[in-house]
Structure formats: structure tokens, C-alpha cells
Amino acid sequence: MARVVGGIGASHAPSMEHIYDAGEEVRESDEWQPLFGPFKQVADWLEELKPDRLVVVYNDHMDQFFLDAYPTFALGVAETYPVADEGFGARPFPPLPGDAKLGWHIARSLVADEFDITICQDLEVDHGVISPLPMVDFSEGEGGWKIPIVPLAVNVILHPLPSPLRCWKLGRALRRAIYSFEDDLRVVVVGTGGLSHQLTGPRFGQVTPDWDQEFMRLLAEEPESLTRYTYKQLIELGGTESVEVVNWLAMRGALPDDARPLVTAYYAHRIMGYGLQTFEVAA
Amino acid sequence: MELTQEYLARLDAVQPKELPGDLDLFDEATATRGIRLNKAAYSLKDEHQRDLFAKDEEAWMAQFGLTDEEQDLVRGRDWIGLWRSGMSIYVMVKLSGVTDTPLPEIGKQMKESGGGANG
């Protein structure tokens, strides 16, 4: 039987890719240490925990999915996930290893639980996955990606969006899917996106640190209270693009109620409220 | 068929209404208005399309059935006009790449725009 052994919530952003790709000196600079320092803590924690798989709840940014057919929920069932070209050439990472067998099992279980997902045998992952992942799951110089993933994409860009409550329930269904898998795997669930940011209109660049920190507190202490927020409230509190935080809510829904926060880091910088939070699950 | 309060609340929850004028979202109106421009900018994921854009912008534009007005917005690098015409920020970023426009420049124009994408 597989089980959930931890959770990670992490922002995703092209800026994180630029800084990672600029090298260790830039990552460790005074400007970026408040974000990349905590990422190093998470990498160390993960190294110790040694999970067998990561299920990554994220959102695409019109790099794989487009408006011709936009899926509300889409699940990867592939053995590898190439890095998407977002319009500037793909970053030079090898394709991420997947686990098709686990992917198909999760697909069956989610559909049985009335989550009628789009099933993807070919899926290129964009910065929704590969902006935070190298910080915790990539060895430079010694063999690349360490942990196979199963990506689960949520539509957070084309309204109507699945409600926060629906995303929480998706997490609950994901948890059941993991626990009903026959292989003895230890799984960490990752939710990416947010926190506050606004990329359009007169409020471009607005970051709201008080709300971001309150969001992380609620996620740790009373996660179900977040299911009662409407998208209108989330947009007013954190910005149009901050609604990505429902990916974190799905992650939290996949964890047991008594999961405890371990690393909690926040850095409001330039046009982003960057958040990072890990949860440990009692054995 | 009774439309219960519970149902109506759920319906409300997936589609924000009456946002303040300085906030916007990508929905039925913008997706419908912007479909040609979004197809055009989305194509720039492909390096052959980026090469064509660099070599012959008019030939690149001719592939997508853009209206005359939309073509002028692209030619003019009119980011606010493109946004108001329904271009998603995520494909606008791809167009900003091929036109060497840094995001902060688009951001500056956004801040001065006075809004209007959901108008």
C-alpha cells in the first residue's frame, strides 16, 4: 500500500527559474537567500525523508493546454514529462521521470470518486512544475532528477474555475487514490503557485504579505476554512493570478488532518509574494 | 426545477462577479474577444513561429485571421490595447519575448492603463 508521507506548498514563477539558472552565487545572494535558503532546508528534509514519488498539483500557463480544449483537471499517466518551451526555448533539463502505473491508478480512483479528469499520455510541464522542483529534487552533475512525479493540472486561468471546495475535495480523493495503490510507495504531495501577485491592470505588481501569511497560517491550522473563500475574495485579497493557491489547498486536502507544518517561509519581493511550506505526517 | 440557494451560491463561487474596476479576470468575454490574438501569440511556443515572426512579421500575422484592428495592435506593440482585446497575460509574455519587451515595461503600462479588460 502506498501512503502520503509529507506535503510541500511552493510558489512557482519564471523569476525563480532565472535565479536558479544564474547559479549558486546568485541563489545565495542577500537578495535571494530569503527564498533559496528555505528551499535548501526543504531539499535537506526531502533528502532525509526519501519519498519514492512526488504527486505535483500545479497549473499550466498556456504552455501545454490551450483554449481550443481547456481541461479543468488533467492528470499525467506518462513515463516521462518533457520540459515545455514557453516561448523562449525550453530550459536545458532532461525530461522528468514519471510513473505511468501510479498515474493510471490515480486516474481510475479519481474517476471512481467522480473527478472526471482529462488523462494525458503526452504532457509537457511548464514553470508550474519546473520552477520550484529543481530546488528540491535535482542534483546538478550527478544524475539529474531524483524522484519520479505524477503531475495533476488544475485550471486556474480560464474562468469558470473549480471552486476552492472542489480543489480541497480533489485533494481528499487524491489521498484515497494514493492509499489504494498496491505498491508500497511513500509519496509526498506538492502544490505549486501563488502566493499574492497581480500581472494585469492598474494593480500590476501588487503583493499583499498580510494575506499571504494568513493564508499559510490557515492552511496549517484550519485548512477547511479556506474552502469557504470565493474566487472574488481570493482575487481581492491576493490578486487575479493568486488564485493558484487552490493548488496548495488540494495538496493540504491530500494530507491527514493532523499533518504539521515544518518549514514555513515567506518573502515578498518585486512583484511576487513567494511562499514555501512543508508538512510532516506522523508515521 | 428549483434553483436552490445552495446551487446559486455554488454557481457564484466559480465565476466572480462585480469585481472592482481595477481588477480583471480571463473569462467568457475575454476568451471570446481574444481568441484570434491568443491563438497567434500561443503559436510563439514553437521556435519556427518565432523565426517567422523575426523574419516576416506580416506573414506570421497572416496565419491567424486577425482583424485589421488586431493587426495594428500587434504592429504597434500596444500592450494595453492587446489586453483589452482579450489577450491573456500568459500568451502576451510569449509575444513580449519575440519583441524584446521586458515584463516591467508592460507592467508600467498596465499601472497607467486605468483598467478596462472586463469593460
Side-chain angles (χ1 to χ4, degrees), chain A residues 57-209:
Chain A
V57 184
Y58 78 109
N59 64 276
D60 180 75
H61 306 77
M62 297 198 201
D63 295 308
Q64 162 68 51
F65 302 114
F66 186 61
L67 302 165
D68 54 344
Y70 208 88
T72 298
F73 298 119
L75 180 78
V77 296
E79 290 293 0
T80 57
Y81 298 97
V83 174
D85 180 340
E86 303 189 24
F88 303 82
R91 289 171 85 201
F93 283 101
L96 291 87
D99 181 344
K101 187 180 166 196
L102 176 60
W104 280 108
H105 171 78
I106 293 173
R108 279 188 293 274
S109 185
L110 289 179
V111 171
D113 273 338
E114 300 181 353
F115 280 93
D116 305 319
I117 44 162
T118 298
I119 297 170
C120 307
Q121 282 186 280
D122 267 319
L123 179 63
E124 294 184 355
V125 291
D126 74 352
H127 73 265
V129 172
I130 67 133
S131 65
L133 223 54
M135 271 79 99
V136 296
D137 184 40
F138 192 79
S139 318
E140 283 171 352
E142 44 161 306
W145 300 108
K146 290 182 274 193
I147 311 169
I149 69 164
V150 175
L152 173 54
V154 177
N155 168 27
V156 297
I157 68 176
L158 172 63
H159 290 258
L161 313 182
S163 70
L165 176 61
R166 187 75 177 141
C167 294
W168 169 261
K169 288 180 175 173
L170 174 70
R172 281 292 189 243
L174 176 61
R175 186 175 162 210
R176 177 141 63 184
I178 291 166
Y179 278 80
S180 62
F181 188 57
E182 60 186 4
D183 293 0
D184 192 18
L185 296 179
R186 300 166 72 252
V187 179
V188 164
V189 180
V190 184
T192 81
L195 301 176
S196 62
H197 59 304
Q198 176 70 45
L199 300 178
T200 52
R203 294 200 206 177
F204 178 94
Q206 182 170 292
V207 174
T208 48

Side-chain angles (χ1 to χ4, degrees), chain A residues 2-9 53-57 106 110 115 150 152 164-180 186-191 219 223-224 227 245-260 279-282:
Chain A
R3 62 196 176 91
V4 175
V5 297
I8 302 174
R53 300 291 181 268
L54 302 175
V55 175
V56 185
V57 184
I106 293 173
L110 289 179
F115 280 93
V150 175
L152 173 54
L165 176 61
R166 187 75 177 141
C167 294
W168 169 261
K169 288 180 175 173
L170 174 70
R172 281 292 189 243
L174 176 61
R175 186 175 162 210
R176 177 141 63 184
I178 291 166
Y179 278 80
S180 62
R186 300 166 72 252
V187 179
V188 164
V189 180
V190 184
L219 195 75
E224 288 202 65
T227 65
V245 294
V246 295
N247 300 331
W248 290 47
L249 196 55
M251 174 276 288
R252 186 68 180 87
L255 307 182
D257 292 333
D258 63 355
R260 287 178 312 170
F279 291 88
E280 61 176 357
V281 171

Side-chain angles (χ1 to χ4, degrees), chain A residues 61-64 66 85-89 157-161 198 200-204 231-232 236 240-241, chain B residues 13-14 16-18 20 22-24 26 38-39 42 44-45 50 83 88 90-91 93-94 97 107 110-111 115:
Chain A
H61 306 77
M62 297 198 201
D63 295 308
Q64 162 68 51
F66 186 61
D85 180 340
E86 303 189 24
F88 303 82
I157 68 176
L158 172 63
H159 290 258
L161 313 182
Q198 176 70 45
T200 52
R203 294 200 206 177
F204 178 94
Y231 276 116
K232 185 177 181 204
E236 288 179 343
T240 300
E241 286 76 28
Chain B
V14 297
K17 272 181 267 182
E18 290 158 20
D22 58 352
L23 285 169
D24 66 295
F26 193 76
N38 283 319
K39 274 184 189 165
Y42 176 74
L44 297 167
K45 261 180 59 60
R50 296 198 290 271
W83 172 57
S88 154
Y90 297 117
V91 294
V93 167
K94 304 179 203 315
M110 287 283 185
K111 282 190 213 175

